[in-house]
Amino acid sequence: MSTLSSVKLYGRVALLRRQVLLQQLIRRAIAAALAVAAFVVAAGLATHALFLAITPSLGTLGASLAIAAFYLVCALILLAYTLREPHSPEMQALEEAEAAALEILTKDSQGMVQIANAAGHRIEDIGSNLALGIGLLSALRRLLASHKA
């Protein structure tokens, strides 16, 4: 596989994986926004109703602390869900394909680097030979000039 082909393959696979990740992110963000809006409305109404219901038995301070503890537990559960990384067979396959494409690209690139290094050495040799030739011509010219004089 040529370097250009491996670059194209890697680019396609990486782009496809990023598109899937973006689609998942958008779906999760929309669902999260709707869930938050519904939760805020329901929580407000439920909080008021719960406060009115438990105030006679716990008092104002006790009712407030009980409701705060309930919301803290809910917040921790939602935070744990939000930080969870989604796992799917498609994402695993795309990740493996991207790694394989990158490995192919790396191998092909190493071949190109070796070719470039060899070409660089050849150019360096040509430059050295050219400098040596110019030096010899200059020395011959001086010898001929001093021989004529």
Side-chain angles (χ1 to χ4, degrees):
M1 183 176 272
S2 71
T3 302
L4 185 58
S5 297
S6 60
V7 167
K8 286 180 181 179
L9 174 65
Y10 176 74
R12 287 181 188 142
V13 171
L15 181 63
L16 180 61
R17 182 169 177 258
R18 298 313 187 275
Q19 286 174 340
V20 170
L21 284 172
L22 183 61
Q23 288 172 353
Q24 285 181 348
L25 177 71
I26 290 170
R27 279 190 225 121
R28 289 173 59 98
I30 290 171
L34 292 173
V36 166
F39 185 73
V40 167
V41 171
L45 294 172
T47 301
H48 183 65
L50 182 63
F51 182 78
L52 292 176
I54 62 174
T55 298
S57 63
L58 297 177
T60 307
L61 182 59
S64 296
L65 288 175
I67 293 171
F70 172 74
Y71 279 117
L72 179 62
V73 169
C74 288
L76 291 175
I77 291 170
L78 289 171
L79 180 63
Y81 172 75
T82 302
L83 295 177
R84 183 180 61 90
E85 188 70 29
H87 297 285
S88 69
E90 295 86 8
M91 287 303 297
Q92 182 68 27
L94 282 173
E95 186 175 338
E96 290 170 5
E98 183 179 0
L102 182 59
E103 185 177 331
I104 290 170
L105 174 63
T106 303
K107 286 180 182 177
D108 288 348
S109 297
Q110 288 173 352
M112 293 301 290
V113 167
Q114 289 173 350
I115 291 170
N117 284 339
H121 288 299
R122 287 186 196 130
I123 291 171
E124 184 179 329
D125 290 344
I126 290 171
S128 297
N129 291 338
L130 185 62
L132 182 62
I134 291 173
L136 284 173
L137 286 175
S138 176
L140 284 173
R141 192 173 134 228
R142 282 190 225 135
L143 277 172
L144 289 174
S146 66
H147 192 282
K148 284 184 177 179

